[in-house]
């Protein structure tokens, strides 16, 4: 795997931007300044950054309730996302959607929405559109392990395969769906296997290793562009924060049911630290280079938060403005 | 046993489940979050420990099949309660609810029944936006074969859950997270509140306010404020949306001559519209045209600045009632 220095540092910078975005929200969520339910992406950055590095602005992506990372990695701006999370008129959905409805059609982020499994068939539709128009676009659906409970995913796998649609199914298997450990939801932790009966090529990768995700996605996207889709990538990962909010202090009680030792073990596999070590070890980046990327991300996030704070909330008279076009 | 035992709305539901499951081995609970410390508040507390994992089943995210399973188990002779932490998630289950459960008794010529409770929790506000906010009582009430109940008080929350479980038909039980902390006197023994019977919460002569669920609570508060401002409001808490207690509504508007209907659903083709149509068709001459107080025909917004004008509360009822009563 021979990534150029530039590709690798871009990948790293994207992950750092996502991390700083997420962690900057912890304070505002805890003080109540941010109310919209935030399902933080901290810990899973390698997936969005690694997969979407292969997507152009013309390619299409649909996300979920946990899509801050997908939005940024698809090219949405820090100001747009922050203003949306603060529910301001300047946000990507003009304050109508909040954290769970991130959209940037101008860069192919067609939308995120929190009905579990609900956007998988929408990404199928985007792939179908590309197929009919023959325009070589690829589409991706991001979803969690929990979404494999919904029937729509199997219907989508079958149809995508039947018509060889250019669609990448990206499962972020973080071992939990809300309060349910994966083994309370399904008898196997191996999710990629669900695609096999549909004759779909699958990859199962360490989702905390940005380079492995990047490599798998490179093959998957190439397959789709060559008209040999669909493709299915399972990324094994873990969320460092609560299901919703920083630490699942829902209704004031600490309710994260995950074993502390398990979380601690995963924290050691921090995808950002791992890529950092890899690059430093191979002298692909200097400590100063890393510090510069972090400083830049920090400044970008600070600017976006201050932009969000000084932006107006939607005016009450505009409540019904976007019901229909 | 104390006669004045107080219980919260959510624990009243919990008690109904405990007592029904203890009384009838055919009753079981299936749905997301019944084994979660937060997902369904405390409505499911203690059930798993007491009745075991065969009868208290937390599920994968599979609304369609889980609801279908409850419907099928009902047809096979059990009395399942299938729970959805939000009404929005229940939309994956529209097929088993409408095509199967609602039609089942009729299309089997009355030879097979479907005594299932479909429990959908309304959970909105807090900048959750369009897919985490919906109150779809009108949609379910539109369907022949379904009953729809919406308790406003802890007493009714328990009594209507018991009635829904005992009913031989599919019943959609819709409760509201905004009421979960309300406390009131709730008898400890098992009892049921009849389905199809409204309750007069305040007696009055100037205006009839018909409401249900959260807005029935708000209407009672509104009536007390209106009373101080010289308006005598009668509050009818529907308790059951379908079958509608038409007699209670008509009796009241005959007396007051003014009708305000408050409903937490959307305006068009909604519960409020149905009640206004009922009043119009009754031929009872109202002194003023009836008024609907509902959500606008608009998805739930995220921003709190829009939520403030979107959702209706006590103040909106007071203002609307005063306008309607002004000479
Ligand atoms: C149809 C539907 N059912 C239930 C929910 C509630 N819910 C929100 S997130 C979630 C779990 C999702 O788990 P997973 O897909 O693994 O994603 P993760 O949160 O782990 O990223 C559930 C059940 C929902 N949003 N939509
Ligand atoms: Mg998960």
């Amino acid at each position: 795997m021979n990534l150029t220095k530039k590709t690798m540092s871009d990948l790293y910078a994207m992950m750092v931007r996502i991390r700083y975005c997420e962690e900057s929200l912890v304070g505002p969520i805890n003080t109540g300044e941010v109310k919209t339910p935030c399902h933080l992406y901290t810990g899973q950055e390698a997936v969005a950054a690694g997969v979407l590095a292969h997507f152009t602005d013309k390619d299409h992506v649909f996300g979920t309730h946990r899509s801050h990372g997908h939005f940024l990695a698809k090219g949405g701006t820090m100001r747009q996302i922050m203003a949306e999370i603060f529910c301001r008129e300047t946000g990507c959905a003009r304050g109508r959607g909040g954290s769970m409805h991130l959209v940037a059609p101008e860069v192919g982020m067609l939308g995120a929405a929190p009905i579990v499994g609900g956007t998988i068939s929408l990404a199928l539709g985007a792939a179908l559109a590309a197929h009919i128009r023959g325009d070589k676009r690829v589409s991706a659906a991001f979803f969690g392990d929990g979404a494999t409970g919904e029937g729509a995913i199997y219907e989508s796998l079958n149809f995508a395969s039947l018509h060889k649609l250019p669609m990448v199914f990206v499962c972020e298997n973080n071992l939990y769906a809300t309060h349910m450990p994966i083994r309370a939801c399904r008898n196997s932790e191996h999710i990629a296997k669900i695609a096999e009966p549909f004759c779909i090529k699958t990859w199962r990768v360490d989702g905390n290793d940005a380079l492995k995700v990047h490599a798998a996605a490179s093959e998957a996207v190439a397959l789709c562009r060559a008209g040999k889709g669909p493709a299915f990538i399972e990324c094994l990962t873990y969320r460092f924060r609560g299901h919703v909010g920083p630490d699942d202090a829902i209704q004031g009680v600490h309710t994260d049911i995950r074993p502390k030792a398990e979380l601690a073990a995963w924290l050691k596999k921090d995808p950002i630290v791992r890529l950092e070590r890899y690059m430093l070890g191979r002298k692909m980046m200097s400590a100063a280079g890393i510090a510069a990327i972090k400083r830049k991300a920090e400044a970008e996030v600070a600017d976006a938060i201050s932009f969000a704070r000084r932006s107006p909330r939607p005016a009450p008279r505009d409540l019904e403005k976007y019901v229909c076009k | 046993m104390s006669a004045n035992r107080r219980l919260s709305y959510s624990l009243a539901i919990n008690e109904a489940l405990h007592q029904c499951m203890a009384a009838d081995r055919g009753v079981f609970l299936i749905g997301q979050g019944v084994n979660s410390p937060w997902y369904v508040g405390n409505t499911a507390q203690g059930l798993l420990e007491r009745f075991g994992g065969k009868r208290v089943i937390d599920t994968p995210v599979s609304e369609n099949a889980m609801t279908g399973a409850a419907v099928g188990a009902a047809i096979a002779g059990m009395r399942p309660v299938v729970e959805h932490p939000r009404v929005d998630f229940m939309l994956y289950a529209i097929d088993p609810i409408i095509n199967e459960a609602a039609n089942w008794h009729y299309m089997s010529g009355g030879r097979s029944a479907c005594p299932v409770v479909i429990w959908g929790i309304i959970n909105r506000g807090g900048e959750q936006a369009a897919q985490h906010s919906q109150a779809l009582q009108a949609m379910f009430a539109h369907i022949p074969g379904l009953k729809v109940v919406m308790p406003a008080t802890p007493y009714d929350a328990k009594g209507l859950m018991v009635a829904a479980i005992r009913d031989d038909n599919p019943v959609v039980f819709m409760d509201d997270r905004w009421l979960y902390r309300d406390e009131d006197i709730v008898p400890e023994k098992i009892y049921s509140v009849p389905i199809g019977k409204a309750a007069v919460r305040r007696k009055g002569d100037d205006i009839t306010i018909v409401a249900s669920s959260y807005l029935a609570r708000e209407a009672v508060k509104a009536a007390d404020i209106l009373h101080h401002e010289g308006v005598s409001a009668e509050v009818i808490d529907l308790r059951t949306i379908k079958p509608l207690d038409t007699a209670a509504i008509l009796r009241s508007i005959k007396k007051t001559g003014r009708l305000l209907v408050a409903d937490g659903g959307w305006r068009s083709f909604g519960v409020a519209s149905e009640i206004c149509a009922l009043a119009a068709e009754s031929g009872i001459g109202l002194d003023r045209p009836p008024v609907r107080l509902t959500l606008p025909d608009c998805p739930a917004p995220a921003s709190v600045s829009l939520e403030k004008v979107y959702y209706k509360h006590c103040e909106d009822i007071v203002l609307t009632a005063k306008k309607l009563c002004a000479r």
Side-chain angles (χ1 to χ4, degrees), chain B residues 4-16 153-155 158 180-188 191:
Chain B
N4 297 321
R5 196 270 314 251
R6 294 176 68 80
L7 204 58
S8 70
Y9 181 96
S10 53
L11 285 177
I13 294 171
N14 179 248
E15 189 164 274
T153 65
Y155 181 93
K158 177 173 171 181
Y180 269 28
R181 282 154 197 252
D182 285 13
E183 267 193 22
D184 205 348
I185 293 169
V186 174
E188 286 177 46
Y191 64 91

PDB file of all heavy atoms in Angstrom, chain B residues 4-16 153-155 158 180-188 191:
ATOM      1  N   ASN B   4     -54.860   6.657  49.135  1.00  0.00           N
ATOM      2  CA  ASN B   4     -54.371   7.847  48.438  1.00  0.00           C
ATOM      3  C   ASN B   4     -52.975   7.664  47.868  1.00  0.00           C
ATOM      4  O   ASN B   4     -52.206   8.590  47.777  1.00  0.00           O
ATOM      5  CB  ASN B   4     -54.353   9.029  49.403  1.00  0.00           C
ATOM      6  CG  ASN B   4     -55.745   9.355  49.873  1.00  0.00           C
ATOM      7  OD1 ASN B   4     -56.684   9.287  49.085  1.00  0.00           O
ATOM      8  ND2 ASN B   4     -55.884   9.666  51.155  1.00  0.00           N
ATOM      9  N   ARG B   5     -52.678   6.431  47.497  1.00  0.00           N
ATOM     10  CA  ARG B   5     -51.339   6.179  46.972  1.00  0.00           C
ATOM     11  C   ARG B   5     -51.130   6.999  45.690  1.00  0.00           C
ATOM     12  O   ARG B   5     -51.925   6.966  44.763  1.00  0.00           O
ATOM     13  CB  ARG B   5     -51.193   4.676  46.676  1.00  0.00           C
ATOM     14  CG  ARG B   5     -49.764   4.196  46.479  1.00  0.00           C
ATOM     15  CD  ARG B   5     -49.315   4.260  45.061  1.00  0.00           C
ATOM     16  NE  ARG B   5     -50.281   3.723  44.127  1.00  0.00           N
ATOM     17  CZ  ARG B   5     -50.120   2.592  43.476  1.00  0.00           C
ATOM     18  NH1 ARG B   5     -49.033   1.895  43.641  1.00  0.00           N
ATOM     19  NH2 ARG B   5     -51.044   2.165  42.631  1.00  0.00           N
ATOM     20  N   ARG B   6     -50.022   7.731  45.638  1.00  0.00           N
ATOM     21  CA  ARG B   6     -49.726   8.531  44.442  1.00  0.00           C
ATOM     22  C   ARG B   6     -48.693   7.819  43.589  1.00  0.00           C
ATOM     23  O   ARG B   6     -47.797   7.162  44.104  1.00  0.00           O
ATOM     24  CB  ARG B   6     -49.214   9.921  44.843  1.00  0.00           C
ATOM     25  CG  ARG B   6     -50.288  10.757  45.539  1.00  0.00           C
ATOM     26  CD  ARG B   6     -49.725  12.083  46.016  1.00  0.00           C
ATOM     27  NE  ARG B   6     -49.372  12.977  44.912  1.00  0.00           N
ATOM     28  CZ  ARG B   6     -50.259  13.713  44.241  1.00  0.00           C
ATOM     29  NH1 ARG B   6     -51.535  13.650  44.564  1.00  0.00           N
ATOM     30  NH2 ARG B   6     -49.867  14.507  43.278  1.00  0.00           N
ATOM     31  N   LEU B   7     -48.856   7.960  42.287  1.00  0.00           N
ATOM     32  CA  LEU B   7     -47.948   7.290  41.363  1.00  0.00           C
ATOM     33  C   LEU B   7     -47.759   8.178  40.131  1.00  0.00           C
ATOM     34  O   LEU B   7     -48.669   8.917  39.744  1.00  0.00           O
ATOM     35  CB  LEU B   7     -48.579   5.948  40.954  1.00  0.00           C
ATOM     36  CG  LEU B   7     -47.658   4.825  40.473  1.00  0.00           C
ATOM     37  CD1 LEU B   7     -46.614   4.466  41.526  1.00  0.00           C
ATOM     38  CD2 LEU B   7     -48.489   3.584  40.122  1.00  0.00           C
ATOM     39  N   SER B   8     -46.577   8.086  39.559  1.00  0.00           N
ATOM     40  CA  SER B   8     -46.356   8.861  38.336  1.00  0.00           C
ATOM     41  C   SER B   8     -47.044   8.162  37.159  1.00  0.00           C
ATOM     42  O   SER B   8     -47.336   6.966  37.205  1.00  0.00           O
ATOM     43  CB  SER B   8     -44.856   8.984  38.052  1.00  0.00           C
ATOM     44  OG  SER B   8     -44.350   7.725  37.668  1.00  0.00           O
ATOM     45  N   TYR B   9     -47.238   8.926  36.120  1.00  0.00           N
ATOM     46  CA  TYR B   9     -47.860   8.436  34.874  1.00  0.00           C
ATOM     47  C   TYR B   9     -47.086   7.229  34.330  1.00  0.00           C
ATOM     48  O   TYR B   9     -47.665   6.204  33.983  1.00  0.00           O
ATOM     49  CB  TYR B   9     -47.835   9.602  33.898  1.00  0.00           C
ATOM     50  CG  TYR B   9     -48.419   9.423  32.521  1.00  0.00           C
ATOM     51  CD1 TYR B   9     -49.731   9.831  32.250  1.00  0.00           C
ATOM     52  CD2 TYR B   9     -47.646   8.947  31.460  1.00  0.00           C
ATOM     53  CE1 TYR B   9     -50.260   9.740  30.963  1.00  0.00           C
ATOM     54  CE2 TYR B   9     -48.161   8.855  30.175  1.00  0.00           C
ATOM     55  CZ  TYR B   9     -49.471   9.247  29.926  1.00  0.00           C
ATOM     56  OH  TYR B   9     -49.981   9.169  28.653  1.00  0.00           O
ATOM     57  N   SER B  10     -45.757   7.345  34.305  1.00  0.00           N
ATOM     58  CA  SER B  10     -44.962   6.252  33.724  1.00  0.00           C
ATOM     59  C   SER B  10     -45.017   5.008  34.608  1.00  0.00           C
ATOM     60  O   SER B  10     -45.119   3.881  34.112  1.00  0.00           O
ATOM     61  CB  SER B  10     -43.516   6.693  33.503  1.00  0.00           C
ATOM     62  OG  SER B  10     -42.971   7.225  34.688  1.00  0.00           O
ATOM     63  N   LEU B  11     -44.992   5.205  35.925  1.00  0.00           N
ATOM     64  CA  LEU B  11     -45.061   4.042  36.812  1.00  0.00           C
ATOM     65  C   LEU B  11     -46.465   3.449  36.865  1.00  0.00           C
ATOM     66  O   LEU B  11     -46.637   2.269  37.190  1.00  0.00           O
ATOM     67  CB  LEU B  11     -44.557   4.406  38.206  1.00  0.00           C
ATOM     68  CG  LEU B  11     -43.029   4.540  38.295  1.00  0.00           C
ATOM     69  CD1 LEU B  11     -42.607   4.973  39.699  1.00  0.00           C
ATOM     70  CD2 LEU B  11     -42.306   3.248  37.896  1.00  0.00           C
ATOM     71  N   ALA B  12     -47.447   4.251  36.516  1.00  0.00           N
ATOM     72  CA  ALA B  12     -48.807   3.716  36.425  1.00  0.00           C
ATOM     73  C   ALA B  12     -48.888   2.720  35.264  1.00  0.00           C
ATOM     74  O   ALA B  12     -49.518   1.658  35.374  1.00  0.00           O
ATOM     75  CB  ALA B  12     -49.813   4.849  36.235  1.00  0.00           C
ATOM     76  N   ILE B  13     -48.229   3.038  34.173  1.00  0.00           N
ATOM     77  CA  ILE B  13     -48.174   2.107  33.040  1.00  0.00           C
ATOM     78  C   ILE B  13     -47.425   0.844  33.465  1.00  0.00           C
ATOM     79  O   ILE B  13     -47.842  -0.283  33.196  1.00  0.00           O
ATOM     80  CB  ILE B  13     -47.471   2.771  31.837  1.00  0.00           C
ATOM     81  CG1 ILE B  13     -48.326   3.927  31.312  1.00  0.00           C
ATOM     82  CG2 ILE B  13     -47.192   1.751  30.730  1.00  0.00           C
ATOM     83  CD1 ILE B  13     -47.643   4.785  30.268  1.00  0.00           C
ATOM     84  N   ASN B  14     -46.334   1.066  34.169  1.00  0.00           N
ATOM     85  CA  ASN B  14     -45.536  -0.052  34.661  1.00  0.00           C
ATOM     86  C   ASN B  14     -46.370  -0.983  35.540  1.00  0.00           C
ATOM     87  O   ASN B  14     -46.319  -2.216  35.420  1.00  0.00           O
ATOM     88  CB  ASN B  14     -44.332   0.506  35.438  1.00  0.00           C
ATOM     89  CG  ASN B  14     -43.443  -0.576  36.002  1.00  0.00           C
ATOM     90  OD1 ASN B  14     -43.365  -0.768  37.216  1.00  0.00           O
ATOM     91  ND2 ASN B  14     -42.774  -1.312  35.140  1.00  0.00           N
ATOM     92  N   GLU B  15     -47.166  -0.374  36.417  1.00  0.00           N
ATOM     93  CA  GLU B  15     -47.984  -1.191  37.318  1.00  0.00           C
ATOM     94  C   GLU B  15     -49.039  -1.983  36.545  1.00  0.00           C
ATOM     95  O   GLU B  15     -49.312  -3.152  36.858  1.00  0.00           O
ATOM     96  CB  GLU B  15     -48.648  -0.304  38.381  1.00  0.00           C
ATOM     97  CG  GLU B  15     -49.332  -1.100  39.469  1.00  0.00           C
ATOM     98  CD  GLU B  15     -49.645  -0.235  40.687  1.00  0.00           C
ATOM     99  OE1 GLU B  15     -48.749  -0.105  41.543  1.00  0.00           O
ATOM    100  OE2 GLU B  15     -50.761   0.316  40.768  1.00  0.00           O
ATOM    101  N   ALA B  16     -49.610  -1.347  35.526  1.00  0.00           N
ATOM    102  CA  ALA B  16     -50.594  -2.057  34.697  1.00  0.00           C
ATOM    103  C   ALA B  16     -49.953  -3.288  34.064  1.00  0.00           C
ATOM    104  O   ALA B  16     -50.538  -4.381  34.043  1.00  0.00           O
ATOM    105  CB  ALA B  16     -51.137  -1.128  33.611  1.00  0.00           C
ATOM    106  N   THR B 153     -53.826  11.187  32.196  1.00  0.00           N
ATOM    107  CA  THR B 153     -53.548  11.196  33.640  1.00  0.00           C
ATOM    108  C   THR B 153     -52.935   9.858  34.064  1.00  0.00           C
ATOM    109  O   THR B 153     -53.110   8.849  33.376  1.00  0.00           O
ATOM    110  CB  THR B 153     -54.854  11.367  34.438  1.00  0.00           C
ATOM    111  OG1 THR B 153     -55.673  10.203  34.206  1.00  0.00           O
ATOM    112  CG2 THR B 153     -55.630  12.595  34.008  1.00  0.00           C
ATOM    113  N   PRO B 154     -52.266   9.849  35.207  1.00  0.00           N
ATOM    114  CA  PRO B 154     -51.732   8.569  35.702  1.00  0.00           C
ATOM    115  C   PRO B 154     -52.831   7.520  35.903  1.00  0.00           C
ATOM    116  O   PRO B 154     -52.641   6.354  35.570  1.00  0.00           O
ATOM    117  CB  PRO B 154     -51.077   8.960  37.036  1.00  0.00           C
ATOM    118  CG  PRO B 154     -50.697  10.403  36.863  1.00  0.00           C
ATOM    119  CD  PRO B 154     -51.798  10.990  36.023  1.00  0.00           C
ATOM    120  N   TYR B 155     -53.983   7.950  36.402  1.00  0.00           N
ATOM    121  CA  TYR B 155     -55.092   7.012  36.625  1.00  0.00           C
ATOM    122  C   TYR B 155     -55.483   6.344  35.307  1.00  0.00           C
ATOM    123  O   TYR B 155     -55.633   5.125  35.218  1.00  0.00           O
ATOM    124  CB  TYR B 155     -56.292   7.767  37.223  1.00  0.00           C
ATOM    125  CG  TYR B 155     -57.483   6.879  37.503  1.00  0.00           C
ATOM    126  CD1 TYR B 155     -57.660   6.287  38.759  1.00  0.00           C
ATOM    127  CD2 TYR B 155     -58.431   6.608  36.510  1.00  0.00           C
ATOM    128  CE1 TYR B 155     -58.744   5.448  39.013  1.00  0.00           C
ATOM    129  CE2 TYR B 155     -59.516   5.769  36.746  1.00  0.00           C
ATOM    130  CZ  TYR B 155     -59.670   5.197  38.004  1.00  0.00           C
ATOM    131  OH  TYR B 155     -60.740   4.364  38.255  1.00  0.00           O
ATOM    132  N   LYS B 158     -52.848   3.857  33.663  1.00  0.00           N
ATOM    133  CA  LYS B 158     -52.938   2.480  34.146  1.00  0.00           C
ATOM    134  C   LYS B 158     -54.221   1.814  33.630  1.00  0.00           C
ATOM    135  O   LYS B 158     -54.188   0.724  33.057  1.00  0.00           O
ATOM    136  CB  LYS B 158     -52.904   2.441  35.679  1.00  0.00           C
ATOM    137  CG  LYS B 158     -53.067   1.038  36.242  1.00  0.00           C
ATOM    138  CD  LYS B 158     -52.869   0.972  37.755  1.00  0.00           C
ATOM    139  CE  LYS B 158     -53.266  -0.414  38.274  1.00  0.00           C
ATOM    140  NZ  LYS B 158     -53.121  -0.534  39.721  1.00  0.00           N
ATOM    141  N   TYR B 180     -44.791  11.875  31.663  1.00  0.00           N
ATOM    142  CA  TYR B 180     -44.254  10.776  32.459  1.00  0.00           C
ATOM    143  C   TYR B 180     -44.047  11.103  33.939  1.00  0.00           C
ATOM    144  O   TYR B 180     -44.134  10.238  34.787  1.00  0.00           O
ATOM    145  CB  TYR B 180     -42.940  10.256  31.850  1.00  0.00           C
ATOM    146  CG  TYR B 180     -43.148   9.126  30.852  1.00  0.00           C
ATOM    147  CD1 TYR B 180     -44.333   9.021  30.126  1.00  0.00           C
ATOM    148  CD2 TYR B 180     -42.175   8.151  30.643  1.00  0.00           C
ATOM    149  CE1 TYR B 180     -44.533   7.990  29.215  1.00  0.00           C
ATOM    150  CE2 TYR B 180     -42.367   7.112  29.729  1.00  0.00           C
ATOM    151  CZ  TYR B 180     -43.547   7.041  29.022  1.00  0.00           C
ATOM    152  OH  TYR B 180     -43.737   6.011  28.132  1.00  0.00           O
ATOM    153  N   ARG B 181     -43.744  12.372  34.221  1.00  0.00           N
ATOM    154  CA  ARG B 181     -43.485  12.711  35.621  1.00  0.00           C
ATOM    155  C   ARG B 181     -44.719  13.194  36.377  1.00  0.00           C
ATOM    156  O   ARG B 181     -44.659  13.449  37.575  1.00  0.00           O
ATOM    157  CB  ARG B 181     -42.409  13.800  35.701  1.00  0.00           C
ATOM    158  CG  ARG B 181     -41.023  13.242  35.494  1.00  0.00           C
ATOM    159  CD  ARG B 181     -40.115  14.319  34.953  1.00  0.00           C
ATOM    160  NE  ARG B 181     -38.920  13.720  34.389  1.00  0.00           N
ATOM    161  CZ  ARG B 181     -37.715  13.789  34.938  1.00  0.00           C
ATOM    162  NH1 ARG B 181     -37.553  14.443  36.067  1.00  0.00           N
ATOM    163  NH2 ARG B 181     -36.685  13.230  34.368  1.00  0.00           N
ATOM    164  N   ASP B 182     -45.830  13.345  35.695  1.00  0.00           N
ATOM    165  CA  ASP B 182     -47.059  13.775  36.376  1.00  0.00           C
ATOM    166  C   ASP B 182     -47.443  12.728  37.424  1.00  0.00           C
ATOM    167  O   ASP B 182     -47.388  11.536  37.160  1.00  0.00           O
ATOM    168  CB  ASP B 182     -48.206  13.916  35.372  1.00  0.00           C
ATOM    169  CG  ASP B 182     -48.074  15.164  34.529  1.00  0.00           C
ATOM    170  OD1 ASP B 182     -46.991  15.782  34.553  1.00  0.00           O
ATOM    171  OD2 ASP B 182     -49.051  15.527  33.849  1.00  0.00           O
ATOM    172  N   GLU B 183     -47.845  13.219  38.591  1.00  0.00           N
ATOM    173  CA  GLU B 183     -48.245  12.298  39.658  1.00  0.00           C
ATOM    174  C   GLU B 183     -49.688  12.521  40.058  1.00  0.00           C
ATOM    175  O   GLU B 183     -50.171  13.649  40.034  1.00  0.00           O
ATOM    176  CB  GLU B 183     -47.365  12.528  40.889  1.00  0.00           C
ATOM    177  CG  GLU B 183     -46.167  11.622  40.923  1.00  0.00           C
ATOM    178  CD  GLU B 183     -45.496  11.631  42.283  1.00  0.00           C
ATOM    179  OE1 GLU B 183     -46.150  11.976  43.283  1.00  0.00           O
ATOM    180  OE2 GLU B 183     -44.302  11.292  42.313  1.00  0.00           O
ATOM    181  N   ASP B 184     -50.340  11.446  40.424  1.00  0.00           N
ATOM    182  CA  ASP B 184     -51.714  11.575  40.908  1.00  0.00           C
ATOM    183  C   ASP B 184     -52.067  10.316  41.699  1.00  0.00           C
ATOM    184  O   ASP B 184     -51.278   9.373  41.762  1.00  0.00           O
ATOM    185  CB  ASP B 184     -52.673  11.741  39.721  1.00  0.00           C
ATOM    186  CG  ASP B 184     -53.947  12.474  40.131  1.00  0.00           C
ATOM    187  OD1 ASP B 184     -54.177  12.647  41.352  1.00  0.00           O
ATOM    188  OD2 ASP B 184     -54.708  12.868  39.233  1.00  0.00           O
ATOM    189  N   ILE B 185     -53.265  10.331  42.267  1.00  0.00           N
ATOM    190  CA  ILE B 185     -53.714   9.153  43.002  1.00  0.00           C
ATOM    191  C   ILE B 185     -54.047   8.041  42.015  1.00  0.00           C
ATOM    192  O   ILE B 185     -54.793   8.252  41.057  1.00  0.00           O
ATOM    193  CB  ILE B 185     -54.943   9.501  43.871  1.00  0.00           C
ATOM    194  CG1 ILE B 185     -54.512  10.479  44.973  1.00  0.00           C
ATOM    195  CG2 ILE B 185     -55.563   8.238  44.463  1.00  0.00           C
ATOM    196  CD1 ILE B 185     -55.662  11.107  45.723  1.00  0.00           C
ATOM    197  N   VAL B 186     -53.455   6.883  42.245  1.00  0.00           N
ATOM    198  CA  VAL B 186     -53.689   5.722  41.379  1.00  0.00           C
ATOM    199  C   VAL B 186     -53.970   4.532  42.292  1.00  0.00           C
ATOM    200  O   VAL B 186     -53.123   4.157  43.104  1.00  0.00           O
ATOM    201  CB  VAL B 186     -52.446   5.428  40.514  1.00  0.00           C
ATOM    202  CG1 VAL B 186     -52.637   4.137  39.720  1.00  0.00           C
ATOM    203  CG2 VAL B 186     -52.146   6.589  39.571  1.00  0.00           C
ATOM    204  N   PRO B 187     -55.180   3.952  42.198  1.00  0.00           N
ATOM    205  CA  PRO B 187     -55.475   2.794  43.049  1.00  0.00           C
ATOM    206  C   PRO B 187     -54.469   1.670  42.842  1.00  0.00           C
ATOM    207  O   PRO B 187     -53.998   1.456  41.727  1.00  0.00           O
ATOM    208  CB  PRO B 187     -56.869   2.353  42.582  1.00  0.00           C
ATOM    209  CG  PRO B 187     -57.454   3.559  41.917  1.00  0.00           C
ATOM    210  CD  PRO B 187     -56.303   4.321  41.339  1.00  0.00           C
ATOM    211  N   GLU B 188     -54.166   0.970  43.931  1.00  0.00           N
ATOM    212  CA  GLU B 188     -53.183  -0.110  43.827  1.00  0.00           C
ATOM    213  C   GLU B 188     -53.758  -1.350  43.166  1.00  0.00           C
ATOM    214  O   GLU B 188     -53.041  -2.106  42.522  1.00  0.00           O
ATOM    215  CB  GLU B 188     -52.647  -0.454  45.224  1.00  0.00           C
ATOM    216  CG  GLU B 188     -51.695   0.616  45.722  1.00  0.00           C
ATOM    217  CD  GLU B 188     -51.208   0.349  47.142  1.00  0.00           C
ATOM    218  OE1 GLU B 188     -50.820  -0.793  47.435  1.00  0.00           O
ATOM    219  OE2 GLU B 188     -51.237   1.300  47.948  1.00  0.00           O
ATOM    220  N   TYR B 191     -57.528  -2.283  37.782  1.00  0.00           N
ATOM    221  CA  TYR B 191     -58.827  -1.745  37.330  1.00  0.00           C
ATOM    222  C   TYR B 191     -58.666  -1.343  35.889  1.00  0.00           C
ATOM    223  O   TYR B 191     -57.550  -1.195  35.391  1.00  0.00           O
ATOM    224  CB  TYR B 191     -59.230  -0.517  38.170  1.00  0.00           C
ATOM    225  CG  TYR B 191     -58.272   0.645  38.008  1.00  0.00           C
ATOM    226  CD1 TYR B 191     -58.475   1.619  37.032  1.00  0.00           C
ATOM    227  CD2 TYR B 191     -57.132   0.760  38.813  1.00  0.00           C
ATOM    228  CE1 TYR B 191     -57.565   2.660  36.869  1.00  0.00           C
ATOM    229  CE2 TYR B 191     -56.232   1.787  38.657  1.00  0.00           C
ATOM    230  CZ  TYR B 191     -56.456   2.747  37.678  1.00  0.00           C
ATOM    231  OH  TYR B 191     -55.567   3.762  37.511  1.00  0.00           O
TER     232      TYR B 191
END
